Amino acid sequence: MNAPTSTFDAKEGPVIVPQPGEPNTLGRDELRRMDAYWRAANYLSVGQIYLYDNPLLREPLTLAHVKPLVVGHWGTTPGQNFIYVHLNRVIKKHDLDMIYVAGPGHGGPAIVGNVYLEGTWSEVYPNVTQDEAGLQKLFKQFSFPGGISSHVAPSTPGSIHEGGELGYSLSHAFGAAFDNPALIVACIVGDGEAETGPLATAWQSNKFLDPITDGAVLPILHLNGYKISNPTVLARIEHDELEQFFRGCGWTPLFVEGDDPETMHQLMAAAMETAVEEIGRIQHHARTTNDPGRPRWPMIVLRSPKGWTGPKVVDGLQIEGTFRSHQVPIIVDAAHPSHVKLLEAWMKSYSAEELFDANGRLIEELADLAPKGNRRMGANPHANGGILLHDLRMPDFRAHAVTVPSPGAVVGQDTLILGKFLRDVVALNQQQRNFRIFGPDETLSNLLGAVFEDTSRQWDAGMEANDEFLAPDGRVLDSMLSEHQCEGWLEGYLLTGRHGLFNSYEAFIRIVDSMFSQHAKWLKVTLELPWRRKIASLNYLLASHVWQQDHNGFTHQDPGFLDHVINKKADIVRVYLPPDANCLLSVFDHCLRSRHYVNVVVAGKHPLPQWLSMSAAVLHCTEGIGIWQWASNDQHGEPDVVMACCGDTPTLEVLAAVSILRKHLPDVKIRVVNVVDLMRLQPCAEHPHGLSEEDYDSLFTKDKPIIFGFHGYPSLVLGMTYRRTNRNLHVRGYKEEGTITTAFDMRVQNDLDRFHLVQDVVDHLPDLGSAGTYLKQLMRDKLIEHKLYIDLHGEDLPEIRDWKWGDAA
C-alpha cells in the first residue's frame, strides 16, 4: 500500500491525496515487531477472559486451568489492540501527548493488556509483576471475585471513560480536549455505540473546538459489523453514504479496511501518519496565523472483522466476523470438554514463546515499541486528572450580598445575583483556563447572563450579524441543545483536571439521569483507589424549576432528579435547596471549592422575598438546617407544631402560612425549621451530613406534628426520615399536578399553598376547637376566591402577589 499525503485547504480543510510510488509506511522489521506486539496483546486478552492458571501454556491446557465462570467480550478486543499498538507508534515517533478513550468499554481485556505490556499496570499494582507469576495474577483477576471488572473501569490506568453504558465516549473526548492545546484524545467509537443518540449527536462537537486554544480529538470508528446479535447500521450502508455522512458532519474520514494483518498494518500506519500530520498542520496554521476558522478534522474508519484472529468456526458455526464473537467465542466448561483443545490451539496461534522470555516478560525488542514515562497512554496524567487539578481563584461571594434589612423586606432574583458571582469566577480564572460553564442553551434563560460581560459562548461554526455572545473562544459552552453533550463535555473536562458547572432547567436534567449515575459510580470507585487523585466536583445548577414553570406547563414540571440523586453513595452526593440569594451564593462558593462530589443545587430565577442577611445566610448554610427564630414563637417552651420548609417556594408558602396562623391563632406555639442541605434529614449513620437522633429530635421534637413544605415529591422526605422517632410527619410537595396557570395556582393544585398548609395545622391540632374550625373555613373560602379571581383576571390575587412577611389573610 502506498502512503497518502495531504494538503491543507483553508476553506475545505485537509484533502487526502494519494501519492503513487511512495514506499510503505512500515519497514519490514518494524512491521514484524508491531505485528508481534499486537499478537502479545491479543494473547493477553484471551488469557484474561479464560485462564485461571498456566498463563504461558507451558503445560498442556486442562479444564482446571480455565476459570469456572468465563466472562468477557472478545469481539471488539483485537481491533482495539490493533489501534493501541499503532497509537503507540505515532506517540513515540512524534512525541505526542495522547490519551485513549475506549467507547466500546466492554473491551476491557484490550486496555488492561496494553497497559500491562507498557509497564504501567505493574507500577500502579506492584503485585502484578512483569513475569509469569504476574501474568497469572493478571489473567485470574479479570472478571473474577475480588478482581477487576470486564469493562475499562476506573481501576484501569489511563481510563477516563468506563464505557459500560454506551454513547458518551466522544463527548468525554471533547471535554478532555477543551483548554488542553497540546493534547490529542484518541477516541475509539464502537459501531454499536455509534447508534446511540448521544454519540450520533457528538459528531457535531467539532463545531465547538478551537484549533488555537484547545487540543484535538481523533475519532476512530471501529466498524466490526455487529452488536450483541444484530448487525450495525453504519457497517451495512454503502461506502459512499458512510463517507458522505462524516463529511457532512465536518470530518475528513480516512478508511482502513480489510482483514489481512500485514496489509492492515500498512494501511493503519499510513492513516495514522496522515491524521497526525493533518492535526499538526491544522493547529500550526491556526496558531501562527491566529485563524480560528473551523477546519475539517481527520478521523479514521477502521473496518475489521469482529473477533479478528479468533476462532473461525466452532461446532460448525462461523465465529470470526459474526455476532457470535461478541462475548465468549468458545464455551469452555465441563459440558464442553472438547473445547479445551480449541482454546489451547487458539492461544498457541499467537506464538507466545516468541513474545515472552523465559521469565514471562515481554521481550525487549517488543517492549521498546511502547512510549516511555508519562507518554504511555496508561500513565498520562490527563487520565488521572486530580494530578493536574489546581484550585480555582475564587472571588469573595459576599461582595454580591443582597442587603436584607429585615426578613422578607426586599425581593430579589436568586440566579440573577448568582450570575454576577459566576462572572467574577470566570474573570479570575481566564488565565488559568480551567473553568467553564455548560448548558443546553439555558444560560440566559436561567438569568446567568452576567457571565457574558466577561466571556463568550464558544462557537466555531458560521456566525451572522444578529448572533449574541458567540466567539471561537469562550468560557461558556451552551450553544448545543443537547443535555447529553453538555454533561459529557463537562465530565471529560472534570476528569482531566478542571472545574465547571452544568446549568439546566430542572425538568430536563432528567435527560442525563443515567450519565449522572455513571459518573457517580466512577467517583465512588475512584475514591477507593489510592492512586486515583480526587477531581473537582460535578456541580449542577437546576433553575427554572418545577414551581416556576407555570408559563410552560406540565411537561416542564419535574423535580424527580432529586429522588434519583439521593439513592447514590452518601460519600458522593450532596443536595442543596437554598431559600434565597445570599444562601445560594454561600452554597455555590462551597460547591465550587469542593472535591469529588456531585453537588445538586436547586434555585429559582423569579422575584421572591429575601430572608437572610449574608452573615445569617453563611451561618445557616454552614449548619445546613436550623430554626428560624425570627419566624418562630416557641422560644419559651415546646412548640405545638413544627413548620418545616425546604426550597425557595415552599419556604415562601410556609412563612405565609405561619403569618396567618400567628394572627388568627396567637396562642399556638410554632417552630419554623428551614432545610438547605437536604442530606441533613438522613440519619448520621446513613450520610456524613445526617443529623444524629438527638439533634434531629431537638429540632423537630419527638412527637409534635411536623407540617413540611418540600420542593420535590413528598415521598422523598418521608423515605429519608422513616427511621426517626417522630413519625408525626406530614409532607406537602409536588404531586404531579400542573398546567399552564399562575405561579400560586401551581402551589394550590399541589396543596403546597399557604391556605392548605394552615388547614393541615388545624387538622393536626385537634384541641383548637372552634377557633380552628373558623380558620379552616376561612382558608377554604380563600381557595375559592383564588380560583374565581385567576379564572377572570389571569393573575394571582393582589394579596398573594404583594404579600410580605407579617401580612395575614
Side-chain angles (χ1 to χ4, degrees):
M1 177 264 174
N2 294 322
T5 60
S6 59
T7 60
F8 184 87
D9 183 292
K11 182 178 180 181
E12 295 297 330
V15 180
I16 309 306
V17 182
Q19 298 297 310
E22 289 190 1
N24 286 328
T25 303
L26 300 176
R28 294 305 304 172
D29 185 62
E30 186 178 22
L31 171 62
R32 176 188 62 81
R33 289 185 295 129
M34 288 185 67
D35 187 68
Y37 197 102
W38 180 42
R39 285 190 283 122
N42 286 338
Y43 182 85
L44 293 192
S45 298
V46 181
Q48 289 177 76
I49 294 172
Y50 283 96
L51 293 192
Y52 178 84
D53 203 354
N54 192 16
L56 290 171
L57 302 184
R58 287 183 169 158
E59 56 184 277
L61 189 67
T62 68
L63 194 58
H65 299 141
V66 178
K67 295 174 185 178
L69 178 63
V70 176
V71 178
H73 293 76
W74 167 247
T76 181
T77 295
Q80 291 203 62
N81 285 332
F82 184 78
I83 292 166
Y84 206 101
V85 68
H86 280 272
L87 290 173
N88 277 345
R89 176 182 176 273
V90 292
I91 290 170
K92 192 168 182 182
K93 179 178 178 181
H94 299 284
D95 191 29
L96 300 178
D97 190 7
M98 180 181 283
I99 61 174
Y100 185 107
V101 173
H106 47 271
I111 316 308
V112 172
N114 276 284
V115 172
Y116 176 82
L117 289 175
E118 71 187 21
T120 307
W121 192 279
S122 298
E123 293 172 11
V124 174
Y125 304 105
N127 63 313
V128 184
T129 48
Q130 294 281 314
D131 55 22
E132 186 172 4
L135 284 175
Q136 190 272 332
K137 291 178 180 177
L138 183 79
F139 290 179
K140 178 186 172 184
Q141 70 178 0
F142 183 82
S143 284
F144 198 83
I148 63 173
S149 75
S150 65
H151 293 166
V152 186
S155 57
T156 307
S159 174
I160 65 166
H161 173 88
E162 175 154 357
E165 180 179 334
L166 302 178
Y168 317 131
S169 60
L170 200 50
S171 308
H172 284 162
F174 274 91
F178 291 134
D179 295 321
N180 264 329
L183 183 67
I184 299 177
V185 185
C187 181
I188 289 67
V189 177
D191 50 354
E193 178 188 23
E195 297 173 7
T196 65
L199 198 292
T201 306
W203 296 114
Q204 306 300 334
S205 295
N206 54 13
K207 284 75 176 177
F208 301 88
L209 196 70
D210 182 0
I212 298 176
T213 61
D214 298 327
V217 175
L218 175 60
I220 302 173
L221 174 63
H222 186 200
L223 286 181
N224 62 30
Y226 293 92
K227 303 183 280 283
I228 297 173
S229 62
N230 267 294
T232 57
V233 173
L234 294 183
R236 294 295 180 91
I237 62 177
E238 295 177 354
H239 185 284
D240 286 349
E241 183 181 352
L242 184 64
E243 181 174 4
Q244 289 167 13
F245 170 76
F246 286 115
R247 289 191 179 277
C249 291
W251 297 93
T252 296
L254 308 172
F255 290 85
V256 177
E257 302 174 297
D259 59 6
D260 174 66
E262 181 172 335
T263 302
M264 289 291 280
H265 279 301
Q266 295 289 4
L267 288 169
M268 191 62 160
M272 285 280 186
E273 288 289 345
T274 299
V276 168
E277 175 189 330
E278 291 305 329
I279 289 170
R281 187 188 302 276
I282 288 166
Q283 292 177 336
H284 178 75
H285 169 82
R287 295 168 188 181
T288 56
T289 64
N290 200 34
D291 176 9
R294 181 171 64 90
R296 291 183 176 272
W297 297 94
M299 64 171 290
I300 294 173
V301 179
L302 170 64
R303 189 189 296 269
S304 63
K306 195 174 185 78
W308 198 10
T309 75
K312 297 194 181 320
V313 177
V314 175
D315 295 338
L317 294 174
Q318 184 178 341
I319 304 298
E320 184 187 48
T322 76
F323 65 88
R324 297 184 185 92
S325 64
H326 180 75
Q327 294 181 334
V328 178
I330 304 176
I331 299 174
V332 182
D333 57 20
H336 301 81
S338 63
H339 287 183
V340 174
K341 290 301 181 184
L342 293 178
L343 173 61
E344 183 177 38
W346 174 19
M347 296 194 70
K348 285 190 171 183
S349 71
Y350 298 117
S351 303
E353 67 279 2
E354 300 174 3
L355 312 173
F356 301 92
D357 65 19
N359 296 317
R361 189 182 188 94
L362 187 69
I363 62 175
E364 187 173 345
E365 71 164 352
L366 300 185
D368 190 53
L369 291 175
K372 308 303 178 189
N374 287 348
R375 285 297 192 245
R376 295 172 296 176
M377 288 186 284
N380 192 303
H382 292 287
N384 189 1
I387 294 174
L388 304 176
L389 183 63
H390 295 285
D391 290 343
L392 286 174
R393 297 180 61 197
M394 293 293 288
D396 184 358
F397 65 92
R398 296 170 181 82
H400 300 283
V402 177
T403 300
V404 182
S406 64
V410 298
V411 169
Q413 294 173 273
D414 298 355
T415 58
L416 183 69
I417 293 158
L418 178 68
K420 298 173 183 178
F421 169 68
L422 294 176
R423 173 200 62 200
D424 292 354
V425 176
V426 168
L428 284 175
N429 295 280
Q430 283 280 22
Q431 208 155 11
Q432 291 191 138
R433 299 186 66 82
N434 65 342
F435 177 73
R436 285 182 181 261
I437 296 170
F438 299 81
D441 191 24
E442 291 164 357
T443 304
L444 283 175
S445 180
N446 287 331
L447 300 191
L448 305 179
V451 298
F452 296 120
E453 296 171 17
D454 199 83
T455 190
S456 300
R457 294 166 160 146
Q458 184 153 319
W459 173 266
D460 289 285
M463 299 186 199
E464 297 187 359
N466 290 318
D467 292 337
E468 286 191 328
F469 313 125
L470 298 183
D473 178 33
R475 297 289 87 201
V476 178
L477 280 160
D478 79 336
S479 299
M480 169 81 87
L481 190 58
S482 167
E483 285 81 1
H484 289 119
Q485 300 316 308
C486 296
E487 174 81 11
W489 290 344
L490 175 54
E491 288 177 1
Y493 198 67
L494 298 176
L495 288 161
T496 47
R498 281 75 65 78
H499 306 256
L501 70 93
F502 185 160
N503 80 96
S504 172
Y505 285 12
E506 181 183 39
F508 300 138
I509 200 66
R510 302 303 308 271
I511 293 168
V512 298
D513 272 8
S514 191
M515 295 184 75
F516 149 76
S517 291
Q518 296 300 324
H519 189 77
K521 290 173 186 290
W522 180 280
L523 293 178
K524 185 263 184 188
V525 174
T526 55
L527 201 59
E528 300 164 359
L529 297 170
W531 60 273
R532 282 277 188 186
R533 302 290 182 85
K534 288 185 176 181
I535 62 172
S537 297
L538 170 55
N539 300 305
Y540 292 103
L541 173 64
L542 307 186
S544 303
H545 60 58
V546 59
W547 302 111
Q548 297 181 356
Q549 287 292 349
D550 44 281
H551 61 299
N552 278 322
F554 200 35
T555 59
H556 286 56
Q557 298 158 2
D558 186 349
F561 191 63
L562 302 185
D563 300 68
H564 182 52
V565 168
I566 69 149
N567 287 299
K568 300 307 172 188
K569 293 296 291 187
D571 291 340
I572 301 301
V573 295
R574 306 287 185 266
V575 178
Y576 302 98
L577 294 100
D580 65 6
N582 286 339
C583 289
L584 177 59
L585 289 167
S586 178
V587 163
F588 233 90
D589 177 81
H590 167 76
C591 291
L592 290 179
R593 295 176 188 270
S594 68
R595 297 285 184 276
H596 226 73
Y597 297 134
V598 176
N599 297 310
V600 180
V601 181
V602 182
K605 65 182 183 182
H606 289 182
L608 285 176
Q610 302 297 300
W611 306 111
L612 302 182
S613 68
M614 181 54 79
S615 59
V618 171
L619 286 173
H620 184 48
C621 293
T622 302
E623 294 173 353
I625 188 172
I627 299 171
W628 279 5
Q629 296 189 30
W630 52 267
S632 307
N633 65 350
D634 69 324
Q635 289 84 349
H636 303 297
E638 277 282 290
D640 296 308
V641 63
V642 177
M643 300 288 285
C645 44
C646 182
D648 55 9
T649 300
T651 297
L652 168 64
E653 290 305 313
V654 164
L655 288 173
V658 168
S659 179
I660 296 170
L661 289 164
R662 289 182 61 175
K663 177 178 180 179
H664 292 272
L665 301 172
D667 294 333
V668 173
K669 300 303 180 186
I670 303 170
R671 176 178 296 174
V672 176
V673 175
N674 183 264
V675 181
V676 178
D677 180 350
L678 185 61
M679 297 312 194
R680 297 291 273 164
L681 296 177
Q682 285 193 311
C684 57
E686 298 293 325
H687 195 284
H689 287 197
L691 291 173
S692 68
E693 295 302 323
E694 295 77 15
D695 288 342
Y696 185 91
D697 291 344
S698 72
L699 288 173
F700 292 101
T701 77
K702 290 186 176 182
D703 57 0
K704 296 298 188 291
I706 305 167
I707 308 301
F708 200 126
F710 179 54
H711 173 86
Y713 293 107
S715 59
L716 179 55
V717 171
L718 294 170
M720 296 177 77
T721 57
Y722 78 96
R723 294 183 181 179
R724 298 297 191 179
T725 302
N726 190 346
R727 307 298 294 274
N728 196 2
L729 173 63
H730 313 279
V731 185
R732 294 295 189 181
Y734 185 65
K735 59 178 190 179
E736 286 294 318
E737 292 293 341
T739 182
I740 294 177
T741 184
T742 69
F744 184 70
D745 192 56
M746 265 293 297
R747 305 163 207 166
V748 171
Q749 290 190 31
N750 290 277
D751 300 341
L752 183 61
D753 64 284
R754 61 202 69 183
F755 304 137
H756 278 102
L757 292 172
V758 169
Q759 292 182 71
D760 284 344
V761 171
V762 172
D763 288 342
H764 291 93
L765 294 177
D767 294 337
L768 290 175
S770 61
T773 302
Y774 277 96
L775 180 57
K776 193 170 178 181
Q777 178 65 56
L778 177 60
M779 295 301 99
R780 287 197 291 262
D781 293 346
K782 284 293 182 184
L783 287 168
I784 294 171
E785 182 184 353
H786 150 76
K787 184 68 168 67
L788 294 173
Y789 189 90
I790 65 169
D791 286 351
L792 179 62
H793 297 283
E795 62 178 351
D796 287 320
L797 287 159
E799 68 185 74
I800 301 297
R801 302 197 310 268
D802 302 333
W803 178 89
K804 291 184 181 297
W805 168 245
D807 292 345

